[in-house]
Amino acid sequence: LIDVMLDRILADDIDPSLGAGDWRTKLAAVARQDWERGNRHPWMLQVGTHRPPLGPNLMAKHEATLRILDGLGLSELEMDRVAALLMSYVQGAVRQAVEATLVQQHTGMSDKQWWTTQEPLLMMVLDPSRFPLSHRVGQAVGEAFDAVTDPVGNFDFGLERVLDGLQAFIDARKGP
C-alpha cells in the first residue's frame, strides 16, 4: 500500500517537457517539484526508498530526469548518479525543513525564541579568544537570523551550489 501511495503522489507532478530552458533550468524545476512534494507529504521521509517502488509514475519521473541529462556528455552511470545526487540533496533539504516545523510544533517555540533562551549558555561556552571564527560567524548569523532560518532560501542556495558543481563536472567532461 505504501509503495502505491508513493507512486501515486508522483503522478501529480510529472511534466515530461519540464518547460523551456537548458538542462540546469529543467533540473532545477525537477528539484523544486520534489521539494514541494516533500513538504506537502512529509510522511514520505519515514519510508525507506533505498529499493524504490517501481511503479509507472516513479519510472516516468526517472525517465524525465534522465532525458534532461542525456546528451550532456555524461556516461549512463554518471547520469544515474547525477539524478541520485539531486534526489539526495532535495530529501536532505526537505528533512531539515520538516524537522524545523516539527520541533517548533512540539516545543511551541520558534527557532528565534529558542536561541534567545540559549543565549546565556552560548555566551558562556563561546569564548571569542578560543573560538574566534565561531564567534564572528555566530554574530553574522544572529544579525541575519531570518534569512539563515528561511527553509526556501536555504533550499535555493543549496540547489544553486549543487547545480554549480554539476556545471563544473559537465564542463570538465567536455574538455577544453
Side-chain angles (χ1 to χ4, degrees):
L1 176 61
I2 291 173
D3 285 356
V4 172
M5 290 168 57
L6 283 170
D7 192 67
R8 174 59 193 100
I9 63 174
L10 290 172
D12 297 336
D13 296 329
I14 295 174
D15 177 3
S17 68
L18 292 167
D22 61 1
W23 70 266
R24 187 178 173 122
T25 302
K26 290 180 180 183
L27 215 52
V30 168
R32 286 190 176 88
Q33 281 179 349
D34 291 349
W35 162 262
E36 290 167 9
R37 182 185 319 102
N39 280 283
R40 280 193 318 268
H41 302 284
W43 60 267
M44 292 172 49
L45 296 171
Q46 304 304 314
V47 179
T49 55
H50 176 72
R51 295 180 180 164
L54 301 177
N57 296 316
L58 181 125
M59 298 309 296
K61 180 190 179 318
H62 189 62
E63 180 72 15
T65 303
L66 292 176
R67 200 174 307 122
I68 295 167
L69 300 170
D70 193 29
L72 296 178
L74 303 176
S75 71
E76 284 75 11
L77 178 59
E78 290 167 337
M79 288 169 36
D80 186 68
R81 285 180 170 170
V82 166
L85 169 68
L86 187 67
M87 182 183 65
S88 293
Y89 168 70
V90 173
Q91 285 176 340
V94 168
R95 186 172 302 283
Q96 286 291 98
V98 168
E99 182 180 315
T101 300
L102 292 174
V103 165
Q104 183 168 334
Q105 289 171 350
H106 178 72
T107 64
M109 196 183 281
S110 72
D111 284 345
K112 190 173 240 175
Q113 291 167 323
W114 185 85
W115 278 106
T116 299
T117 65
Q118 300 303 307
E119 189 171 4
L121 174 61
L122 186 59
M123 292 297 113
M124 287 176 23
V125 298
L126 188 58
D127 176 1
S129 64
R130 186 169 176 204
F131 305 110
L133 289 175
S134 295
H135 185 264
R136 188 177 83 213
V137 170
Q139 285 183 319
V141 166
E143 292 168 9
F145 191 82
D146 291 338
V148 172
T149 58
D150 170 30
V152 175
N154 290 338
F155 172 77
D156 288 340
F157 177 84
L159 177 60
E160 288 303 312
R161 301 304 68 80
V162 169
L163 294 173
D164 289 345
L166 290 174
Q167 181 74 62
F169 179 70
I170 289 167
D171 290 348
R173 297 286 289 142
K174 291 179 182 175

